[in-house]
Amino acid sequence: MLKANYHTHTKLCNHAEGMPKDYVKKAIELGFVELGMSDHGPVPHEFMSEKEYINNWIQRNMTLEEYYTIYLPALDEAIAKYGDKIKIYKGLEVEYIPGHEEYYLGLKANLDYLNFGVHYFLSEGIEKNSYDDVDYKSIYDYCDIAVNGMKTGIYNCLVHPDLFYFGYKNEEGKQVFDKHCVEVTHRICQTASELGIYLEVNCNGLANSRKYGLKNEWLYPRKEFWEIAKTYPNLKIIIGCDAHLINNLYSEDTKAIEKFCQELGLNISPFMKI
Ligand SMILES: [Zn+2]
Ligand SMILES: [Zn+2]
């Protein structure tokens, strides 16, 4: 059973519940040894077009002001109160938008680690969201952002690395894990393995797959991706709850992911070295 989780959100992102102390209390109850808080970090308006910002971002992240005046103090409060019962790490989940490395480093200056989620990228100059329909050209753009982001050295873990498959459609408009997906998987695993960056098997992919009407199929975590990942002996892999609800810290979905990893024979790191 899980003893740690490093992917935990709060109500500050506007699509999750609870504050750090609520997750910390639950984690202690569950017997966790470590808990990393990693809510969606602030995204400056000017990092993208007005349209993209308003459609996909304005309501899904904390603001910079909330980061400093609410999030960081709430983390310190949780550590002061429960730090003797559980190791609490301070983190955020952020994008990589090239040219803004200093900004991410500035956020990280107050934290222990950064989770890297690729939700936003450009493809042929067009802004894409990882939940949009993407074709074989776009997934290479997702891949470039993932690989180049990891190379900056700013991030500790690439969360849901297989998210590129979520809206993937091949030339015939079908969703199949084809040679392009295989190539993207290799590039991501190769880079993560060389740089010692963790890749995360994401538990929230199950709920997200159900949201899109799939009962028994998971869009992510994707078996084909992790079968390839398994062939990289030095690759560090962890399970992440991506908890948006307090009960997500250990749920039926978490159990299903633990079983998935066990059946695949993935070598899961119980803790993230931070
Ligand atoms: Zn979220
Ligand atoms: Zn997340």
Side-chain angles (χ1 to χ4, degrees):
M1 197 195 130
L2 277 195
K3 285 283 166 227
N5 171 54
Y6 305 90
H7 194 162
T8 322
H9 293 281
T10 76
K11 68 179 185 186
L12 293 174
C13 68
N14 303 311
H15 63 278
E17 67 174 2
M19 288 301 282
K21 62 174 175 2
D22 304 314
Y23 289 93
V24 168
K25 273 193 257 176
K26 182 74 187 178
I28 294 169
E29 256 174 61
L30 289 166
F32 281 19
V33 180
E34 298 191 352
L35 183 72
M37 295 300 307
S38 62
D39 201 10
H40 296 284
V43 179
H45 203 152
E46 62 275 18
F47 281 18
M48 54 190 64
S49 73
E50 182 81 13
K51 184 171 167 262
E52 174 67 18
Y53 186 70
I54 288 170
N55 287 348
N56 290 322
W57 295 87
I58 194 166
Q59 271 300 330
R60 303 199 45 88
N61 307 272
M62 69 180 79
T63 64
L64 198 56
E65 194 187 338
E66 286 168 338
Y67 173 61
Y68 286 110
T69 62
I70 305 177
Y71 187 63
L72 290 174
L75 291 173
D76 288 334
E77 186 196 318
I79 291 168
K81 199 157 176 201
Y82 300 105
D84 58 338
K85 296 196 179 65
I86 185 169
K87 175 72 193 168
I88 302 164
Y89 288 104
K90 302 196 255 186
L92 280 178
E93 175 178 2
V94 291
E95 304 293 310
Y96 171 55
I97 300 181
H100 297 296
E101 291 79 356
E102 291 300 321
Y103 172 76
Y104 298 114
L105 284 169
L107 294 176
K108 198 182 181 184
N110 302 287
L111 302 169
D112 300 308
Y113 73 106
L114 283 181
N115 276 342
F116 176 23
V118 181
H119 304 89
Y120 174 88
F121 59 99
L122 291 174
S123 185
E124 296 177 327
I126 295 166
E127 292 171 303
K128 290 272 177 194
N129 193 287
S130 299
Y131 300 106
D132 291 343
D133 277 358
V134 287
D135 62 12
Y136 76 92
K137 283 184 235 146
S138 307
I139 60 169
Y140 287 104
D141 297 311
Y142 171 105
C143 179
D144 285 347
I145 286 294
V147 165
N148 293 333
M150 285 192 274
K151 285 182 181 167
T152 63
I154 299 172
Y155 309 98
N156 301 66
C157 175
L158 177 64
V159 296
H160 42 63
D162 41 357
L163 187 60
F164 66 83
Y165 189 72
F166 193 84
Y168 182 65
K169 302 282 183 310
N170 72 4
E171 283 100 321
E172 281 114 47
K174 292 203 181 92
Q175 188 160 35
V176 260
F177 205 95
D178 62 9
K179 62 178 186 200
H180 300 294
C181 298
V182 168
E183 177 61 26
V184 164
T185 301
H186 276 292
R187 289 188 197 179
I188 290 173
C189 292
Q190 178 76 41
T191 306
S193 166
E194 278 168 18
L195 298 173
I197 293 172
Y198 290 84
L199 293 187
E200 178 210 56
V201 186
N202 185 284
C203 299
N204 200 33
L206 279 61
N208 268 345
S209 302
R210 287 194 294 270
K211 240 188 251 171
Y212 281 74
L214 295 167
K215 281 203 183 113
N216 299 312
E217 194 190 347
W218 302 354
L219 293 171
Y220 72 101
R222 196 70 203 171
K223 196 173 175 197
E224 294 92 331
F225 180 99
W226 294 103
E227 268 168 350
I228 293 170
K230 200 169 81 170
T231 66
Y232 289 79
N234 298 322
L235 187 61
K236 297 187 204 165
I237 305 171
I238 52 164
I239 292 175
C241 300
D242 198 355
H244 288 74
L245 301 172
I246 293 151
N247 281 335
N248 286 160
L249 279 182
Y250 200 75
S251 66
E252 288 306 312
D253 287 348
T254 324
K255 287 184 203 162
I257 291 294
E258 285 179 321
K259 191 164 164 252
F260 169 83
C261 293
Q262 202 175 22
E263 283 173 1
L264 267 182
L266 288 178
N267 185 15
I268 301 291
S269 307
F271 300 103
M272 187 153 94
K273 281 209 183 74
I274 291 172

Coordinates of all heavy atoms in Angstrom, one line a residue, residues 83-159:
G83 N 4.0 18.4 11.5 CA 5.4 18.1 11.0 C 6.1 17.0 11.8 O 7.0 16.4 11.3
D84 N 5.6 16.8 13.1 CA 6.3 15.7 13.9 C 5.7 14.4 13.6 O 6.2 13.4 14.0 CB 6.2 16.1 15.4 CG 4.7 16.3 15.8 OD1 3.9 16.6 15.0 OD2 4.5 16.1 17.0
K85 N 4.5 14.4 12.9 CA 3.8 13.1 12.6 C 4.1 12.6 11.2 O 3.9 11.4 10.9 CB 2.3 13.2 12.9 CG 2.0 13.5 14.3 CD 0.5 13.3 14.6 CE 0.2 13.6 16.0 NZ 0.4 15.0 16.4
I86 N 4.4 13.5 10.3 CA 4.5 13.1 8.9 C 5.4 14.1 8.2 O 5.4 15.3 8.6 CB 3.1 13.1 8.2 CG1 3.2 12.6 6.8 CG2 2.4 14.5 8.2 CD1 1.9 12.3 6.1
K87 N 6.2 13.7 7.3 CA 7.1 14.6 6.6 C 6.3 15.3 5.5 O 5.7 14.6 4.6 CB 8.3 13.8 6.0 CG 9.2 14.6 5.1 CD 10.1 15.6 5.9 CE 10.7 16.6 5.0 NZ 11.4 17.7 5.7
I88 N 6.2 16.6 5.5 CA 5.4 17.3 4.5 C 6.3 18.1 3.6 O 7.2 18.8 4.1 CB 4.4 18.3 5.3 CG1 3.5 17.6 6.2 CG2 3.6 19.1 4.2 CD1 2.8 18.5 7.2
Y89 N 6.1 17.9 2.3 CA 6.9 18.7 1.3 C 6.1 19.7 0.7 O 4.9 19.5 0.4 CB 7.5 17.7 0.3 CG 8.6 16.8 0.8 CD1 8.4 15.5 1.0 CD2 9.9 17.3 1.0 CE1 9.4 14.7 1.5 CE2 10.9 16.5 1.4 CZ 10.7 15.2 1.7 OH 11.7 14.4 2.1
K90 N 6.7 20.9 0.4 CA 6.0 22.0 -0.2 C 6.3 22.0 -1.7 O 7.5 22.0 -2.1 CB 6.5 23.3 0.3 CG 6.4 23.5 1.8 CD 6.5 24.9 2.3 CE 7.8 25.2 2.9 NZ 7.9 26.6 3.5
G91 N 5.3 21.9 -2.5 CA 5.5 21.9 -4.0 C 4.4 22.6 -4.7 O 3.4 23.1 -4.1
L92 N 4.5 22.5 -6.0 CA 3.4 23.0 -6.9 C 3.5 22.1 -8.2 O 4.5 21.5 -8.5 CB 3.7 24.5 -7.4 CG 3.4 25.7 -6.5 CD1 3.8 26.9 -7.2 CD2 1.9 25.8 -6.2
E93 N 2.4 22.2 -8.9 CA 2.3 21.6 -10.2 C 2.3 22.7 -11.2 O 1.4 23.5 -11.2 CB 1.1 20.7 -10.4 CG 1.0 20.1 -11.8 CD -0.3 19.2 -12.0 OE1 -1.0 19.0 -11.0 OE2 -0.5 18.7 -13.1
V94 N 3.3 22.8 -12.1 CA 3.3 23.9 -13.1 C 3.7 23.4 -14.5 O 4.1 22.2 -14.7 CB 4.4 24.9 -12.7 CG1 4.0 25.7 -11.4 CG2 5.8 24.3 -12.5
E95 N 3.5 24.2 -15.4 CA 3.8 24.0 -16.9 C 5.3 24.3 -17.1 O 6.0 24.7 -16.2 CB 3.0 24.9 -17.7 CG 1.5 24.9 -17.5 CD 0.8 23.5 -17.9 OE1 1.1 23.1 -19.1 OE2 0.1 23.0 -17.1
Y96 N 5.6 24.1 -18.4 CA 6.9 24.6 -18.8 C 6.6 25.5 -20.1 O 6.2 24.9 -21.1 CB 7.9 23.6 -19.2 CG 9.2 24.1 -19.9 CD1 9.9 25.2 -19.3 CD2 9.6 23.7 -21.1 CE1 11.0 25.7 -19.9 CE2 10.7 24.2 -21.8 CZ 11.4 25.3 -21.2 OH 12.5 25.8 -21.8
I97 N 6.7 26.8 -20.0 CA 6.5 27.6 -21.1 C 7.8 28.3 -21.4 O 8.4 29.0 -20.6 CB 5.4 28.7 -20.8 CG1 4.1 27.9 -20.6 CG2 5.2 29.6 -22.1 CD1 2.8 28.7 -20.3
P98 N 8.5 27.8 -22.5 CA 9.9 28.2 -22.7 C 10.1 29.8 -22.7 O 9.2 30.5 -23.1 CB 10.1 27.7 -24.2 CG 9.2 26.6 -24.3 CD 8.0 27.0 -23.6
G99 N 11.2 30.2 -22.1 CA 11.5 31.6 -22.0 C 11.1 32.1 -20.6 O 11.5 33.2 -20.2
H100 N 10.4 31.3 -19.8 CA 9.9 31.7 -18.5 C 10.6 30.9 -17.4 O 10.0 30.8 -16.3 CB 8.4 31.7 -18.4 CG 7.7 32.6 -19.4 ND1 7.8 34.0 -19.3 CD2 6.9 32.3 -20.4 CE1 7.1 34.5 -20.3 NE2 6.6 33.6 -21.0
E101 N 11.8 30.4 -17.6 CA 12.5 29.6 -16.6 C 12.6 30.4 -15.3 O 12.5 29.8 -14.2 CB 13.8 29.2 -17.2 CG 13.8 28.2 -18.3 CD 13.5 28.8 -19.7 OE1 13.2 30.0 -19.8 OE2 13.5 28.0 -20.7
E102 N 13.0 31.6 -15.4 CA 13.2 32.4 -14.2 C 12.0 32.5 -13.3 O 12.0 32.5 -12.1 CB 13.6 33.9 -14.6 CG 15.0 34.0 -15.2 CD 16.1 33.5 -14.3 OE1 16.0 33.7 -13.1 OE2 17.0 32.8 -14.8
Y103 N 10.8 32.6 -14.0 CA 9.6 32.6 -13.2 C 9.4 31.3 -12.4 O 9.1 31.4 -11.2 CB 8.4 32.8 -14.2 CG 7.1 32.7 -13.5 CD1 6.6 33.7 -12.8 CD2 6.3 31.5 -13.7 CE1 5.3 33.6 -12.1 CE2 5.1 31.4 -13.1 CZ 4.6 32.5 -12.3 OH 3.4 32.3 -11.7
Y104 N 9.6 30.2 -13.1 CA 9.4 28.9 -12.4 C 10.4 28.7 -11.2 O 10.1 28.2 -10.2 CB 9.5 27.7 -13.3 CG 8.4 27.8 -14.4 CD1 8.6 28.0 -15.7 CD2 7.0 27.7 -14.0 CE1 7.6 28.1 -16.7 CE2 6.0 27.8 -14.9 CZ 6.3 28.0 -16.3 OH 5.3 28.1 -17.2
L105 N 11.6 29.2 -11.5 CA 12.7 29.1 -10.5 C 12.3 30.0 -9.3 O 12.6 29.7 -8.1 CB 14.0 29.5 -11.0 CG 14.7 28.5 -11.9 CD1 15.9 29.1 -12.6 CD2 15.1 27.3 -11.0
G106 N 11.7 31.2 -9.6 CA 11.2 32.1 -8.5 C 10.2 31.4 -7.6 O 10.2 31.6 -6.4
L107 N 9.3 30.7 -8.2 CA 8.3 29.9 -7.4 C 9.0 28.9 -6.6 O 8.7 28.7 -5.4 CB 7.2 29.3 -8.4 CG 6.3 30.2 -9.2 CD1 5.4 29.3 -10.1 CD2 5.4 31.0 -8.3
K108 N 9.9 28.2 -7.2 CA 10.5 27.0 -6.6 C 11.4 27.5 -5.4 O 11.7 26.7 -4.5 CB 11.4 26.3 -7.6 CG 11.7 24.9 -7.1 CD 12.6 24.2 -8.1 CE 13.0 22.7 -7.7 NZ 13.9 22.1 -8.6
A109 N 11.8 28.8 -5.4 CA 12.7 29.3 -4.3 C 12.0 29.1 -3.0 O 12.7 29.0 -2.0 CB 13.0 30.7 -4.6
N110 N 10.7 29.1 -2.9 CA 10.0 28.9 -1.7 C 9.5 27.5 -1.4 O 8.8 27.2 -0.5 CB 8.7 29.8 -1.7 CG 9.0 31.2 -1.9 OD1 9.5 31.9 -1.1 ND2 8.7 31.7 -3.1
L111 N 10.0 26.6 -2.3 CA 9.4 25.2 -2.2 C 10.5 24.2 -2.1 O 11.7 24.4 -2.3 CB 8.6 25.0 -3.5 CG 7.4 25.9 -3.8 CD1 6.9 25.7 -5.2 CD2 6.3 25.7 -2.8
D112 N 10.0 22.9 -1.9 CA 10.9 21.8 -1.9 C 11.0 21.2 -3.3 O 12.1 20.6 -3.7 CB 10.5 20.7 -0.9 CG 10.4 21.3 0.5 OD1 11.4 21.8 0.9 OD2 9.3 21.1 1.1
Y113 N 10.0 21.2 -4.1 CA 10.0 20.5 -5.4 C 8.9 21.1 -6.3 O 8.0 21.8 -5.9 CB 9.8 19.0 -5.2 CG 8.4 18.6 -4.8 CD1 7.5 18.0 -5.8 CD2 7.9 18.8 -3.6 CE1 6.2 17.6 -5.4 CE2 6.6 18.5 -3.2 CZ 5.8 17.9 -4.2 OH 4.5 17.5 -3.8
L114 N 9.1 20.8 -7.6 CA 8.1 21.1 -8.6 C 7.6 19.9 -9.4 O 8.5 19.2 -9.9 CB 8.6 22.2 -9.6 CG 8.7 23.6 -9.1 CD1 9.2 24.5 -10.3 CD2 7.4 24.2 -8.6
N115 N 6.3 19.7 -9.5 CA 5.8 18.7 -10.4 C 5.6 19.4 -11.7 O 5.2 20.6 -11.8 CB 4.5 18.2 -9.9 CG 4.6 17.1 -8.9 OD1 5.7 16.4 -8.8 ND2 3.6 16.8 -8.1
F116 N 5.9 18.7 -12.8 CA 5.8 19.2 -14.1 C 4.6 18.5 -14.9 O 4.7 17.3 -15.1 CB 7.1 19.0 -14.8 CG 7.2 19.4 -16.3 CD1 6.4 20.3 -16.8 CD2 8.2 18.8 -17.1 CE1 6.5 20.7 -18.2 CE2 8.3 19.1 -18.4 CZ 7.5 20.1 -19.0
G117 N 3.6 19.3 -15.2 CA 2.5 18.7 -15.9 C 2.4 19.5 -17.3 O 2.4 20.7 -17.3
V118 N 2.4 18.8 -18.4 CA 2.2 19.4 -19.7 C 0.8 19.4 -20.0 O 0.2 18.4 -20.4 CB 3.0 18.7 -20.8 CG1 2.9 19.5 -22.1 CG2 4.5 18.6 -20.4
H119 N 0.1 20.6 -19.8 CA -1.3 20.8 -20.2 C -1.3 21.8 -21.4 O -2.3 21.8 -22.1 CB -2.1 21.3 -19.1 CG -2.1 20.4 -17.9 ND1 -1.2 20.6 -16.9 CD2 -2.8 19.3 -17.5 CE1 -1.4 19.7 -15.9 NE2 -2.4 18.9 -16.3
Y120 N -0.3 22.6 -21.5 CA -0.3 23.7 -22.5 C 0.9 23.6 -23.4 O 2.1 23.4 -22.8 CB -0.3 25.0 -21.7 CG -0.1 26.2 -22.7 CD1 -1.3 26.8 -23.2 CD2 1.1 26.8 -23.0 CE1 -1.1 27.9 -24.0 CE2 1.3 27.9 -23.8 CZ 0.1 28.4 -24.3 OH 0.2 29.5 -25.2
F121 N 0.7 23.6 -24.7 CA 1.9 23.6 -25.6 C 1.5 24.2 -26.9 O 0.3 24.3 -27.2 CB 2.5 22.3 -25.8 CG 1.6 21.2 -26.3 CD1 1.6 20.9 -27.6 CD2 0.7 20.6 -25.5 CE1 0.7 19.9 -28.2 CE2 -0.2 19.6 -26.0 CZ -0.2 19.3 -27.3
L122 N 2.4 24.6 -27.7 CA 2.1 25.2 -29.0 C 2.4 24.1 -30.1 O 3.4 23.4 -30.0 CB 3.0 26.4 -29.3 CG 2.8 27.6 -28.5 CD1 3.9 28.7 -28.8 CD2 1.4 28.2 -28.8
S123 N 1.5 24.1 -31.1 CA 1.7 23.1 -32.2 C 1.5 23.9 -33.5 O 0.4 24.4 -33.7 CB 0.7 22.0 -32.1 OG 1.0 21.0 -33.1
E124 N 2.5 24.1 -34.2 CA 2.5 24.9 -35.4 C 1.9 26.3 -35.1 O 1.0 26.8 -35.8 CB 1.7 24.2 -36.6 CG 2.4 22.9 -37.0 CD 1.6 22.1 -38.1 OE1 0.4 22.2 -38.0 OE2 2.3 21.5 -38.9
G125 N 2.3 26.8 -34.0 CA 1.9 28.2 -33.6 C 0.5 28.3 -33.0 O 0.1 29.3 -32.5
I126 N -0.1 27.1 -32.9 CA -1.5 27.1 -32.3 C -1.4 26.6 -30.9 O -0.8 25.6 -30.6 CB -2.5 26.3 -33.2 CG1 -2.6 27.0 -34.6 CG2 -3.8 26.1 -32.5 CD1 -3.2 26.1 -35.6
E127 N -2.1 27.3 -30.0 CA -2.1 26.9 -28.6 C -3.0 25.6 -28.4 O -4.1 25.5 -28.9 CB -2.7 28.0 -27.7 CG -1.8 29.2 -27.7 CD -2.4 30.4 -27.0 OE1 -3.5 30.8 -27.5 OE2 -1.9 30.9 -26.0
K128 N -2.4 24.6 -27.7 CA -3.1 23.3 -27.5 C -3.2 23.1 -26.1 O -2.3 23.4 -25.3 CB -2.3 22.2 -28.2 CG -2.3 22.2 -29.7 CD -3.4 21.5 -30.2 CE -3.5 21.5 -31.7 NZ -4.8 21.1 -32.2
N129 N -4.3 22.4 -25.7 CA -4.4 21.9 -24.4 C -4.4 20.4 -24.5 O -4.9 19.8 -25.4 CB -5.8 22.3 -23.9 CG -6.0 22.1 -22.4 OD1 -6.1 21.0 -21.9 ND2 -5.9 23.2 -21.7
S130 N -3.7 19.7 -23.5 CA -3.5 18.3 -23.6 C -4.8 17.5 -23.6 O -4.9 16.3 -23.9 CB -2.7 17.8 -22.4 OG -1.4 18.4 -22.5
Y131 N -6.0 18.1 -23.2 CA -7.2 17.4 -23.3 C -7.9 17.6 -24.6 O -9.0 17.0 -24.9 CB -8.1 17.9 -22.1 CG -7.5 17.6 -20.8 CD1 -7.0 18.7 -20.0 CD2 -7.5 16.3 -20.3 CE1 -6.4 18.4 -18.8 CE2 -6.9 16.1 -19.0 CZ -6.4 17.1 -18.3 OH -5.8 16.9 -17.1
D132 N -7.4 18.5 -25.5 CA -7.9 18.7 -26.8 C -7.6 17.4 -27.7 O -6.8 16.6 -27.4 CB -7.2 19.8 -27.6 CG -7.5 21.2 -27.0 OD1 -8.4 21.3 -26.2 OD2 -6.7 22.1 -27.3
D133 N -8.3 17.4 -28.8 CA -7.9 16.4 -29.8 C -6.5 16.7 -30.4 O -6.3 17.9 -30.7 CB -8.9 16.3 -31.0 CG -10.1 15.5 -30.6 OD1 -10.2 14.9 -29.5 OD2 -11.1 15.4 -31.5
V134 N -5.6 15.8 -30.4 CA -4.3 16.0 -30.9 C -4.0 15.0 -32.0 O -4.4 13.8 -31.9 CB -3.2 16.1 -29.8 CG1 -3.3 17.3 -29.0 CG2 -3.3 14.8 -29.0
D135 N -3.2 15.4 -33.0 CA -2.8 14.4 -34.1 C -1.4 14.0 -33.9 O -0.7 14.4 -32.9 CB -3.1 15.0 -35.4 CG -2.3 16.3 -35.7 OD1 -1.4 16.6 -34.9 OD2 -2.6 16.9 -36.7
Y136 N -0.8 13.3 -34.8 CA 0.5 12.8 -34.6 C 1.6 13.9 -34.7 O 2.6 13.7 -34.1 CB 0.8 11.6 -35.6 CG 1.2 12.1 -37.0 CD1 2.5 12.4 -37.4 CD2 0.1 12.3 -38.0 CE1 2.8 12.8 -38.7 CE2 0.4 12.8 -39.2 CZ 1.7 13.0 -39.6 OH 2.0 13.5 -40.8
K137 N 1.3 15.0 -35.3 CA 2.2 16.1 -35.3 C 2.2 16.7 -33.9 O 3.3 17.0 -33.4 CB 1.9 17.1 -36.4 CG 2.3 16.7 -37.8 CD 2.0 17.7 -38.8 CE 1.2 17.2 -39.9 NZ 0.2 18.1 -40.5
S138 N 1.0 17.0 -33.4 CA 0.9 17.7 -32.1 C 1.6 16.9 -31.0 O 2.1 17.5 -30.0 CB -0.5 17.9 -31.7 OG -1.2 18.6 -32.7
I139 N 1.5 15.6 -31.0 CA 2.1 14.9 -29.8 C 3.6 15.0 -29.8 O 4.2 14.9 -28.8 CB 1.7 13.4 -29.7 CG1 2.1 12.5 -30.9 CG2 0.2 13.3 -29.3 CD1 1.9 11.0 -30.6
Y140 N 4.3 15.3 -31.0 CA 5.7 15.5 -30.9 C 6.0 16.9 -30.3 O 7.0 17.1 -29.7 CB 6.3 15.5 -32.4 CG 6.4 14.0 -32.9 CD1 5.5 13.6 -33.8 CD2 7.4 13.2 -32.4 CE1 5.6 12.2 -34.3 CE2 7.4 11.8 -32.8 CZ 6.5 11.4 -33.8 OH 6.6 10.1 -34.2
D141 N 5.0 17.8 -30.4 CA 5.2 19.1 -29.8 C 5.0 19.0 -28.3 O 5.7 19.6 -27.5 CB 4.2 20.1 -30.4 CG 4.4 20.4 -31.9 OD1 5.6 20.6 -32.2 OD2 3.5 20.3 -32.7
Y142 N 4.1 18.2 -27.9 CA 3.9 17.8 -26.4 C 5.2 17.2 -25.9 O 5.8 17.6 -24.9 CB 2.8 16.8 -26.3 CG 2.6 16.2 -24.9 CD1 1.6 16.6 -24.0 CD2 3.5 15.2 -24.4 CE1 1.5 16.1 -22.8 CE2 3.4 14.6 -23.2 CZ 2.3 15.1 -22.4 OH 2.2 14.5 -21.1
C143 N 5.8 16.3 -26.7 CA 7.0 15.6 -26.4 C 8.2 16.6 -26.2 O 8.9 16.5 -25.3 CB 7.3 14.6 -27.4 SG 8.8 13.6 -27.2
D144 N 8.3 17.5 -27.2 CA 9.4 18.5 -27.1 C 9.3 19.4 -25.8 O 10.3 19.6 -25.2 CB 9.3 19.5 -28.3 CG 9.8 18.8 -29.6 OD1 10.4 17.7 -29.5 OD2 9.6 19.3 -30.7
I145 N 8.1 19.8 -25.5 CA 7.9 20.5 -24.2 C 8.3 19.7 -23.0 O 9.0 20.1 -22.1 CB 6.5 21.1 -24.1 CG1 6.3 22.2 -25.1 CG2 6.2 21.6 -22.7 CD1 7.1 23.5 -24.8
A146 N 7.9 18.4 -23.0 CA 8.2 17.6 -21.9 C 9.7 17.4 -21.8 O 10.3 17.5 -20.7 CB 7.5 16.2 -22.1
V147 N 10.3 17.1 -22.9 CA 11.8 16.8 -22.9 C 12.6 18.0 -22.6 O 13.5 18.0 -21.7 CB 12.2 16.2 -24.3 CG1 13.7 16.2 -24.5 CG2 11.6 14.7 -24.4
N148 N 12.2 19.1 -23.3 CA 13.0 20.4 -23.0 C 12.8 20.9 -21.6 O 13.7 21.5 -21.0 CB 12.6 21.4 -24.1 CG 13.1 21.0 -25.4 OD1 14.1 20.3 -25.6 ND2 12.5 21.5 -26.5
G149 N 11.6 20.7 -21.1 CA 11.3 21.1 -19.7 C 12.1 20.3 -18.7 O 12.7 20.9 -17.8
M150 N 12.2 19.0 -19.0 CA 13.0 18.2 -18.1 C 14.4 18.6 -18.1 O 15.1 18.6 -17.1 CB 12.8 16.7 -18.4 CG 11.5 16.1 -18.0 SD 11.5 14.3 -18.2 CE 11.1 14.0 -19.9
K151 N 14.9 19.0 -19.3 CA 16.3 19.4 -19.4 C 16.7 20.7 -18.7 O 17.8 21.0 -18.5 CB 16.7 19.5 -20.9 CG 16.8 18.2 -21.6 CD 17.2 18.4 -23.1 CE 17.4 17.0 -23.8 NZ 17.4 17.2 -25.2
T152 N 15.7 21.5 -18.3 CA 16.0 22.7 -17.6 C 16.5 22.5 -16.2 O 17.1 23.3 -15.6 CB 14.7 23.6 -17.5 OG1 13.8 22.9 -16.7 CG2 14.1 24.0 -18.8
G153 N 16.2 21.3 -15.7 CA 16.6 21.0 -14.3 C 15.8 21.6 -13.3 O 16.1 21.5 -12.1
I154 N 14.7 22.2 -13.7 CA 13.8 22.9 -12.7 C 12.9 21.9 -12.0 O 12.5 22.1 -10.9 CB 12.9 24.0 -13.4 CG1 13.9 25.0 -14.1 CG2 11.9 24.6 -12.5 CD1 13.1 26.0 -15.0
Y155 N 12.5 20.8 -12.7 CA 11.4 20.0 -12.2 C 11.9 18.6 -11.6 O 12.9 18.1 -12.1 CB 10.5 19.6 -13.4 CG 10.0 20.9 -14.1 CD1 10.6 21.3 -15.3 CD2 9.0 21.7 -13.6 CE1 10.2 22.5 -15.9 CE2 8.6 22.8 -14.3 CZ 9.2 23.2 -15.4 OH 8.8 24.3 -16.1
N156 N 11.2 18.1 -10.7 CA 11.5 16.9 -10.0 C 10.8 15.7 -10.6 O 11.3 14.6 -10.6 CB 11.2 16.9 -8.5 CG 11.9 18.1 -7.8 OD1 11.6 19.2 -8.1 ND2 12.8 17.7 -6.9
C157 N 9.6 15.9 -11.1 CA 8.8 14.8 -11.6 C 7.9 15.2 -12.7 O 7.3 16.3 -12.6 CB 7.9 14.3 -10.4 SG 6.7 13.0 -10.8
L158 N 7.8 14.4 -13.8 CA 6.9 14.7 -14.9 C 5.6 13.9 -14.5 O 5.7 12.6 -14.5 CB 7.5 14.3 -16.2 CG 6.6 14.4 -17.4 CD1 6.2 15.9 -17.7 CD2 7.2 13.8 -18.7
V159 N 4.6 14.6 -14.2 CA 3.3 13.9 -13.8 C 2.5 13.5 -15.1 O 2.7 14.2 -16.1 CB 2.5 14.7 -12.8 CG1 3.2 14.9 -11.5 CG2 2.1 16.1 -13.4

